[in-house]
Amino acid sequence: ERIDGYEEPCAILTKEAARQLRSVASEMIVRGYRLKIFDAYRPARAVRSFVLWGIEDQDIRMKQYFYPDLEKQELFARGYIASKSSHSRGSTVDLTLLDMSTGKEVDMGSPFDLFSPLSHPDCRNVTDEQYENRMFLQKAMMRHGFEPISCEWWRTS
């Protein structure tokens, strides 16, 4: 269902983050990839919606997709949901790579928003190719001023 605060299908970033992301995108195009953005600026009311969803223990409709091996209440302690999100600053972006030759997402070894140790960027419980894909994306983002977080391969600030 639609999250409060996400009214339009667009990604909003600060000017600085947008410039940095444009540099990443330019580098990736030369290498045969495009960026696919999942999430960027997140209004505070959207963060509140996520927090309330995390507290609500009856709504487990998406458990099998997003947190199959955890209880919902663990999502806070493990850093997957926070009461204050760096997304609300407008400088955080969740993204992946698209292979321009196939038009498909590059295999990162876990789906976007899977709250699991399998999604940690440094997880070695994926194939060598999947790990290299994660590192390729992470290093490109870091070269252009973004910083990764430890529990999600798709997120940089």
Side-chain angles (χ1 to χ4, degrees):
E1 58 199 49
R2 185 178 293 274
I3 302 298
D4 189 26
Y6 285 99
E7 309 304 326
E8 300 291 332
C10 64
I12 299 171
L13 291 169
T14 63
K15 286 182 182 181
E16 180 182 351
R19 282 187 200 105
Q20 292 170 290
L21 195 59
R22 182 176 50 202
S23 296
V24 176
S26 295
E27 178 184 337
M28 291 298 105
I29 286 174
V30 170
R31 295 171 176 248
Y33 299 96
R34 296 198 59 114
L35 300 178
K36 178 179 180 178
I37 299 173
F38 296 116
D39 198 6
Y41 168 72
R42 183 177 299 158
R45 65 184 184 270
V47 174
R48 280 192 299 277
S49 291
F50 288 131
V51 169
L52 291 173
W53 172 84
I55 293 169
E56 162 61 74
D57 62 352
Q58 299 300 311
D59 182 0
I60 58 170
R61 292 174 290 169
M62 303 309 290
K63 180 175 176 45
Q64 67 179 337
Y65 300 104
F66 297 119
Y67 56 105
D69 301 322
L70 298 173
E71 294 304 316
K72 192 189 274 190
Q73 292 72 25
E74 292 178 85
L75 299 177
F76 293 96
R78 295 182 183 242
Y80 298 116
I81 297 178
S83 60
K84 294 189 191 250
S85 173
S86 62
H87 279 281
S88 296
R89 293 191 320 258
S91 59
T92 296
V93 62
D94 294 347
L95 76 171
T96 194
L97 296 172
L98 294 177
D99 184 322
M100 289 172 58
S101 66
T102 65
K104 295 183 179 183
E105 290 183 22
V106 172
D107 186 359
M108 299 292 185
S110 74
F112 164 68
D113 262 359
L114 175 66
F115 302 138
S116 163
L118 187 63
S119 296
H120 294 199
D122 61 354
C123 176
R124 292 308 307 236
N125 197 20
V126 295
T127 68
D128 288 342
E129 180 180 3
Q130 292 164 336
Y131 179 78
E132 288 170 17
N133 291 340
R134 291 175 179 196
M135 294 300 103
F136 178 67
L137 174 60
Q138 185 178 80
K139 288 176 183 174
M141 297 297 288
M142 291 174 68
R143 272 194 300 279
H144 297 280
F146 289 94
E147 293 294 325
I149 66 168
S150 63
C151 62
E152 299 173 351
W153 59 258
W154 56 83
R155 182 184 212 174
T156 58
S157 294

